[in-house]
Each structure stands twice: as C-alpha cells, then as structure tokens.
Amino acid sequence: MRLNEEMLSPADAGRWSRDRACHLLRRTGFGCTAAEIARVHADGLNKSVTRIVAVADEPTDFVAESESLRQTALASGNIADSKMWWLHRMLRSNNPLAEKLTLLWHNHFATSFAKVQSVEAMLAQNATFRQYAAGDFGKLLAAMSRDVAMLLWLDGNGNKKRQPNENFARELFELFALGVGNYTEADIQQAARAFTGWHVRNKQFWFDSAQHDDGSKTVFGNRGRFDGSDIIAMCLKHPACSAFIATKLLRCFATDQPTAPAIAAVASRLRVNDMHIGKTLATLFASEYFYSDGVRSSLIKSPVDLVVGTLRTLDVHGDKGNAAGPNLVPTFMLLAELGQDLFEPPTVKGWEGGRQWVSSASHLVRIRFASQITAGEPFGRSRFTKDLAENIRSESGQTCLQAVSQQLFGRRLPEQLERKLERVWNDSSTNPREKVAELVYLMLSLPEYQMA
Amino acid sequence: MTRAMRTMAGVLALWVSLADTQNRAAATDDSLSGALPSGASMYVEANNLGDVVTRFEKSELFKLLTSTPQWRTYLESSDYQRLDAGRKFVEAQLGEDAIEAAKKLLGRNLAVGLYPKRDSKQPDVAFVLRSNHPAFLSKARDQVDNLSRLFGKTVLDSTGKAAGVWMWTVQGNLYFASKNDWVAIATSKPLAEQCVRLLQKESADSLTANADFALAMKEAAPTAHIRVFADLRKLMEATGKKPQQTKFDNVVGAWLFGGVVELARLAPVGSATLTFGKSGLDTTVHLPVDWSKPSAGMVGFFTKPGEAGAAEFPALPTTIAGFSFQRDFVHLYKSREVNLQARILPEFDKFETGIANLMPGRSFSEDILPLLGRRLSILVGPQKFDHLGGEPALKLPGFAFVFEPGTSEQANDLFQLLFQSVVSILNFQVGERGGEPMVIRAEVHNGVPISYGRHMKSAAKGPLPFAFNFTPSSARVNEKLILSSSLDFCRQLTDSYRTAKDVTANHVTADNAAFVAKADAIADGLAANRSFLESKIVQSGKSAGQAKIDFDLLSTMLRKLDQLRAVGTVRVAGYDLRISLSWK
C-alpha cells in the first residue's frame, strides 16, 4: 500500500513548467491552444487540475449550437448528425475532460448504432456516459445495465426466465468490470439468470417480472436470490474490478503499457475513493508519475486525438476562416476512414487502440490529413498558420520553427531534427503562407506528432 | 451608388457584355452574325443587355444583396481588394470611370465565334464588337498605338493601317483590327482579315449566309438578348469521338432524358436563346431535327401527333414542385437492352422475379406495365399532420406519383395489391429496426375512397419520429391513380383532380415533359424546418448566429422569386426545351 501511494506522490511544484502544462492539457483534452497553455502554466498544477476535473459552465452560444445539433440528430434519425453533434462538443466544450471520458466510456461499454438503430437510444447512452464521466463508476455500471441502447445491443429482450441470454452477463464480467480470468462460466450462467426480465419496452427500461428468474443463484461463491443490481454490487466489490478500471484509465491518460505498480497504485486510489473516477484522476494528474519520461509521449494518438486535437491546436475554421469552427462533415468522415467511427465501434470490445491505430493504410490517411489541414480544405483554414505567416517578416526562421513546434508538440524538437527543419525552411518558398504551410505540414507528418 | 456597388456593377457589365441602354436596336438588324465568317462550330452573340443590367442595379434584389452581412464581408476580402485595385488601374489608364468606359466599349452588341482547326484541338477564336461611341474607340486606338511604340514590336506590333482599318498583333498570337465603331479580334491573321472584309462589306461569306446557321437560328427569337448557335457535328468532330447512341447506366436518366440526348446526337446543328423580361427570363434550346425518327430504342420517348402530352399540374396553390411527362413506358421497358448498359440488365431479371412472386403467371411488360398508362406526374406539396396528433421535428413535404391508367379496373386492383404489398414489406423492415409498424386503413374523402397506411402508435408527447412523415396513401379519381407519401397531400390531390378538366382524352398537347417549382412554397417548406436547416449550417462550421443570417438571406431571396418552369415540346420544326424563371 505504501509503495502504491509513493507511485502517485504529488509532483514537485517547483518543476511546474510550460511543457508540463502542455502535457496536462493534451492528455486531459484534445489538443490545446497557446492561450490555454499560458493559462494553465500561470495557474499552477493544483489549481489547474482542480479546474480541469471540475465541471465548468458552458457559453450560451455553445449550449444553443449543441442543442440545435442534438435536436437535428433526433429529428433526422441519422447517426451522422449525432457524430457531428459530438464532434462539436469535443471541439468547443469548456469541459474537454468530460468529452474525453465520455469517449473512454463509449469505448469501454462499446455499443454500436449498427445494431441499435436508434439515434435516441445512442444519444441517451452518450448522455449517461457524460453524466457519470468523472463520477462514481458504480453508478455508471448500474446505469449501463439498464441502458436502452445496451439492452438492444446485447439482446436484453431475449433474456428470459426459461431461456437466459448470457450476452450481458458475459460482457459485464469480461469487458465492463473484471476482465478475463476473474470469473467462471458458471458465474456467467448464474449472473445471466439475475438479469432475466431486464427488457426494453416503449423505448425505456422495463422490468418484466414475469420473465425474471428470482430463484437462488451462486455467483463468485455467494448464494442468494440475486437480481441484476446484486450482481453489479458484487462486481464492484470484486478485487479485480479496481485493477481492471485502473488499467483502462492508465491506458487512456498515461501509457499504452502501464506497469503493475502503476496499476496497483491507481486501483488503490479507486478503492480509497469508492470507485470515484474524478477524484482518482485528480491524484493521477497531480502526481510526479504523470509527468515522468515513461508517460510523456508514450501514447499513440487515436484518430479522435489526432484530428480533433489538430483542429483545435491549429485553430481551424471553415468557410475561409470566417466560421466559428471547422467543417464537421469531412471531420466525421475522416474519423471513420481512420478507423474510429463514433457511435459505431467495430465489436463489443470497442477499438483496440495503441499500435492498432496505425497501419500502412491509415498512416497514409494521416499524412493526407496533414496535407489537407495546411491546404485549408476541406476542414477550413488555420488561424494559427495565418497569423504566423502574417508576422513572418518580423520573425526569424528559428523563431517560427520554435513557435510551430511549441504549438504542435508543446516543446522544442530534438536539435538534429530542428536543424533539418531549419534547412527546409531556408530552402522553401519565399511566399510566407507557403513557407509556414510547408513547415506545419512537415511537422504534422513527423512520427513524433503521431504520439500524444 | 457606393464605390463598391459601382465596382460590382462594373464587373457585371463586363461579364455580361452589356450594351448601351440608350441605343437598343432590333437584333435582326444589328446582329453580328454577318461580321463573322461562315464555318464556325459555335457562335454566341449578346445584344442589348443594358436594360437588364440597369433594371438589376435598380432592383430590390440588388439592394438586398448589397445590404447583406455576406456582402460586407466580401468588401473586406482580399478578392474584392484586388478587383477594386484593377478598377482603379483601368480608370487611371483611360482617364474616366471604368463602368462608363465599359459601357462605351461594349455598349451595343458583340459576338464570339469558334472555328475548328485541322491540326489542332484548340479552335481559332474570333470576337467582334460594335460600339455606339466611335470617338471613344478612336481614343482607345490612339492609346493602343502608344503602347505599341512603348513596348516595341515583340509585344505589340502595328501591322499597318489600310483603308482606314487599324491592325495590331500581340506577339503574333492575337490580331486586333478596328475602324469607326467596330473592333475585331482573332487568334489568326487570316481569320482577322476575313472579319475585316465582312465588316467592310467586301465579302458576303458570313455566318448569316450559311444554310445550317439559318436552319438553326430560324427558331431563335431575334429579340433575344443572347443567341447561341452550335454546329453539333463539328463540335463532335473536334472531340475526336464518333456520335454513338448513349447507353445509360440508370433507368431514370434514360427515361427522363434519353430522347433529348438522342436528338442532340442526331441533330446537325442547334440553337439557344436567353431573353430577360421585366419580371423573368426565358431560355430556349432548339434542335432542328426530325424527332419522329430517333433510334428504335428511343421511339417511345416522344409524344406522337394527336396523343395526349404531359399532364397539366393540379390546380393546387401550394404545390412546391411538379414534374410531368409522357412516355411509351412499355416500349422503353422493352428497349432496355438498346438504351441501357449491359451491367444493369440483370437487375431487371431480379425485379421481374420479385413481381412474379407477387403476381404469378403474369408478364410485367405485357400484363402489368400497360396498365400504368403513358402519362406520369411526380408532385411535391406541403402536408399537414393533424391526423397524427403531433408533428415530426423534421417535416418533409408530401410526394405523389400520379398515373393515368384510364378506366381499367384491372389497374385499380393492381395498385391496391401493390400498395398492400409495399406496406407489408415496409412493416418487416421497420420491425427489424425497432420502428412503429403501419396498419392499412381506409376513408372516403369527399366521395373518393382513399387507402392509407397509418403508424400504429402516435407518440404521446414531444415531436413525432421522422418516419411519421410517411403515411402512404392511394386513391383513384377520374382517370387518375394517386400514390402519395402523405394522406393529407393525397386528399388535396383527390379534391383537385375530382373537379379538374384535364383528362387524358381531351389533353392533346405537344408537351413531352414539364417541370415547375414555386419559390414561395419552397420558402414555406424551408421555414417549417428552420432550426433543422440552421443546424446543418452549423455543421459546416458556422456559429448559430451566422447560420441565422445565412438562412434569412436564402429565405428572402427565395421570396423575391416566383417560379421556375421548364417544358419540352415536340414540334414539326424540331424539339424545343424552354426554361423560364420569373420573379416578383
């Protein structure tokens, strides 16, 4: 226990830097602008972490636009409209951590519109993810067991007293709460009986008592007339649960390959915090471990991280730069092409992530994205590159190079790479716009940029 | 007028080659076709557009456009700044207002001709203009001569002045000639010289004297503001392709446009005109070709003499749009191997197999298709949702197909069977997606029986699902059979057709197809879905405020318009397609 606590010991306030501020923002949101970095740097670590984990008010315009986009998705019944609604939130919300956690839970409780076929149910599930995003995991797990989209996805209406359907019980143990190796087939069969009669009726959760098996069941060695809520409670008390969720949190916010001590430390904090996600993450974000070399630049950017992060970082706006944000239509289509089609994860296991994000084919699409971003079509034009190009006469090549690397990477690049880029800068077009565009394109194409 | 508006007007003036509003002359007397040599593959002349531009400058639409936030944004753009700089440069050179100069230079009429070259795909081009301001032209000639001396012969070489005609060349690529009130420009010296001879009345071998030109332009209104001639054979030769019958890759395209495409292939020449009126514009395309002898596959496309042409549109004041056409569907269906690409033909076999499951022992082309008649109208109109106890958030208009099977009872039975089958099939699909199934109901509306499919359950509160836009309905009234997506629209149509005089037997017109779209009704439809459409603009990256501004502009512009109408007509002289846009 002591070792675990030491793993998450608070970061040294004296080492707080612009680089660390940038790292915190990138991991807890999608990209970041120079103004955001400056604010977090000025506020210091603890104040910034508290603010990031808390729920901030949203601007009136954002709320109106978001509601308009949500109503459109409901009215059209078209999942593409839902994707654009969510992307708008990721790009413009004052609560990027909530959106990142919503995405984490969407992947954790992977449910696809391809089978659910109801925008209303998918949006309701998404709202539940957001409601409990940084809250009590137990409440989120309980909500998911009664969620309409989840019940449609895992054939809840087929789970009947005389013919139990094991889909939900199996995924509850394997994918939602415990992980493989922490339960038996018999546990699944018995737990499935506890969820019989948990059905959907008139687009709402409905407990069909006539189809519920209220007989005695044995789960994890416990015997009783358990129902679904009892099984959820047993999962939450299971020692594997905190470690399983800790691994998920670390893989999302820290590293693809979390070490056993790191998992144990975060699991310990989860237990101490009664499985409260926000409190646990606050400890993680304020720890020295979070800023260690093993954690920084050790995550491969997911398509959402890459695309939304780049659009935010470069301040991209549609309609020749006069619009409020980037064009959402090509954005959601690009995500699908890159393998992260929102609301449509490929299987119950969700997106595998990590190295699976980058293949030879998807890498070419990532490079094409870099080219499109600098060309200004189809997503929109970057205010960052425009401003830089306009000020280029008063800036030296070295200064521009540093400005771009600071914006894209949050730090200076290795000296050797910086020298190469400087040579390209010196040899490139004399047109300031083209010069900056070429530099940004090269930097977006670097393997280093594919790492978060 | 502000400087920006003047610049805009100047650009428009240059763009459409406006003529002097004070000097309108009859196009026939003033046509420049006599100033261009025969042999052109294409010819375009513009006459007397000045009044159009003047009306546009004074119109509400112009005021509206130049008062929008989008216009103000444009004035701040680099594109506009460049344009304005160009205007200032021209004014400095000419020493007078650019717009006035444009009016003087292009103020009467102008024409362009393309002339194919044997050894090149790029045609030679000849351009001729006639101005009402010879003094201005004289001044311009002097300035060009000065430029010629300034830049030297490599850039602008004066080739001499004979019989009062000034001639220059730009690096041997462009040849200019001018005298009195005219200017001729050509990409080759012989062509320029031919133009000069015609303008000097020293030759008679002009386009006007060409028989093909005369044939095509015979039907082109002489008072049109823009008149176009195309020698389709020469244009086809220029592309290096042999004229072959087009094989379509979809049935809709073949049945809607196949005949016209076929006529365009067979016609040696064609013409087009564009005329601006006080409250509308008309454009007509004319193909002087024997429409009764297209390839065998497309015979069924055209209305035969004495046959009922495309149906009248129902007299509904709120109709949004309509498309009506007359075809021999049986002939076109049987000719599918001639008209369509081979790769889509297997789909017909699947379709016929499906039909055979529904009606075993019948041939689709022999027993079923003839029952549909030869006239089909596709109509779009507003629908109310009173009968649903609520409204969908996204409100679609009603759509309807109107067939004219005559008095056949067999057709009636066929439609009922088709209707019931479609509803049953839809119910299976809806069930798989967790939607609400439909039940077939019937009512008698003003004496006309209507069958319709109604969703079993109405939502108790909140907007209805999108699917509730569809209450498939069918009715038989007089000689028409209506299949509609909306019960309300079906009711409107039955009321209209019940009293209409347009029955097949007495509707003998030469109209092969007709289309109408009404701007007010479209604007009403957009207004009913305002929040949805604004949200679509937000999806493109704009803010909610910007979306409101964009929507308001679109809506206001639509309300300034009246309707768009297009009619395809078969006449002895050939085939005409007339498109009219009217405004308030």
Side-chain angles (χ1 to χ4, degrees), chain A residues 61 64-65 68-69 72 75-77 81 84 88 92 116-117 202-203 318-320 322-329, chain B residues 73 79 393-394 432-434 436 457 463-466 531-536 538-546 550:
Chain A
D61 283 356
E65 285 167 20
S68 165
L69 291 170
T72 291
S76 70
D81 289 326
M84 288 185 268
H88 177 265
R92 309 273 297 280
V116 175
Q117 290 290 321
N202 289 335
K203 298 179 181 178
D319 194 38
K320 296 185 177 177
N322 296 326
N327 190 337
L328 300 173
V329 180
Chain B
T73 305
D79 287 346
L394 173 57
E432 284 173 5
R433 296 182 177 185
E436 298 297 340
K457 183 190 160 199
L464 299 174
F466 178 73
S531 61
F532 178 84
L533 295 166
E534 283 183 3
S535 155
K536 286 285 166 190
V538 170
Q539 286 178 355
S540 74
K542 294 191 175 180
S543 68
Q546 287 171 318
D550 284 5

Side-chain angles (χ1 to χ4, degrees), chain B residues 162-368:
Chain B
V165 178
W166 294 67
M167 289 197 77
W168 307 271
T169 178
V170 179
Q171 295 183 315
N173 296 322
L174 268 184
Y175 293 84
F176 291 74
S178 181
K179 182 185 176 184
N180 296 340
D181 62 348
W182 57 260
V183 176
I185 305 170
T187 52
S188 77
K189 193 174 181 183
L191 190 54
E193 288 170 348
Q194 278 180 288
C195 291
V196 170
R197 280 198 294 277
L198 288 165
L199 284 157
Q200 294 278 74
K201 311 285 184 197
E202 293 167 359
S203 165
D205 187 20
S206 70
L207 263 179
T208 310
N210 180 273
D212 282 345
F213 182 82
L215 173 70
M217 301 304 274
K218 190 179 171 187
E219 299 295 325
T223 52
H225 292 99
I226 292 178
R227 303 188 339 139
V228 179
F229 160 77
D231 189 320
L232 301 170
R233 285 170 307 194
K234 284 181 180 165
L235 287 173
M236 188 62 80
E237 281 169 20
T239 63
K241 292 176 186 169
K242 288 186 178 177
Q244 290 179 328
Q245 189 188 347
T246 303
K247 287 212 168 194
F248 286 78
D249 62 359
N250 69 80
V251 181
V252 176
W255 288 16
L256 291 186
F257 309 113
V260 179
V261 172
E262 174 67 356
L263 286 189
R265 179 179 75 90
L266 297 173
V269 291
S271 67
T273 60
L274 176 63
T275 306
F276 295 95
K278 284 186 177 173
S279 58
L281 62 85
D282 279 289
T283 183
T284 303
V285 176
H286 173 66
L287 294 171
V289 63
D290 187 350
W291 54 269
S292 64
K293 293 177 184 172
S295 68
M298 278 297 166
V299 168
F301 190 91
F302 298 98
T303 312
K304 293 178 180 60
E307 268 187 355
E312 291 277 352
F313 294 114
L316 292 174
T318 53
T319 301
I320 295 172
F323 182 63
S324 171
F325 55 103
Q326 195 268 13
R327 302 283 185 272
D328 183 344
F329 295 110
V330 174
H331 180 272
L332 288 172
Y333 186 85
K334 287 181 179 176
S335 306
R336 59 188 182 276
E337 293 191 11
V338 180
N339 298 329
L340 301 172
Q341 291 182 11
R343 67 182 175 83
I344 65 166
L345 295 175
E347 296 302 317
F348 285 87
D349 300 333
K350 289 181 196 168
F351 170 71
E352 290 192 352
T353 304
I355 289 288
N357 288 333
L358 207 60
M359 286 176 283
R362 287 185 176 85
S363 157
F364 179 71
S365 58
E366 300 293 341
D367 303 321
I368 300 171

Side-chain angles (χ1 to χ4, degrees), chain A residues 400-417:
Chain A
C400 288
L401 196 66
Q402 283 177 21
V404 177
S405 62
Q406 193 67 45
Q407 188 76 8
L408 295 180
F409 299 94
R411 58 186 162 80
R412 287 188 65 168
L413 291 168
E415 201 179 330
Q416 198 178 357
L417 185 54

Side-chain angles (χ1 to χ4, degrees), chain A residues 75-76, chain B residues 320 380-385 391-399 465-470 485-486 489 525 528-529 532:
Chain A
S76 70
Chain B
I320 295 172
V380 185
Q383 63 167 324
K384 293 175 187 162
F385 300 94
E391 289 187 344
L394 173 57
K395 297 174 208 45
L396 290 186
F399 301 89
F466 178 73
F468 279 65
N469 277 291
F470 301 95
S485 68
S486 153
F489 192 44
N529 294 293
F532 178 84

Side-chain angles (χ1 to χ4, degrees), chain A residues 352-414:
Chain A
E352 205 164 319
R355 289 181 179 276
Q356 300 301 317
W357 285 132
V358 184
S359 64
S360 51
S362 70
H363 189 66
L364 286 176
V365 181
R366 286 179 176 229
I367 299 298
R368 191 189 72 204
F369 170 63
S371 162
Q372 289 171 326
I373 279 286
T374 46
E377 293 288 343
F379 307 97
R381 295 185 191 282
S382 160
R383 284 190 185 147
F384 169 77
T385 54
K386 179 175 171 278
D387 292 346
L388 192 62
E390 283 173 2
N391 295 321
I392 206 166
R393 287 198 183 94
S394 58
E395 308 280 359
S396 70
Q398 181 69 21
T399 312
C400 288
L401 196 66
Q402 283 177 21
V404 177
S405 62
Q406 193 67 45
Q407 188 76 8
L408 295 180
F409 299 94
R411 58 186 162 80
R412 287 188 65 168
L413 291 168

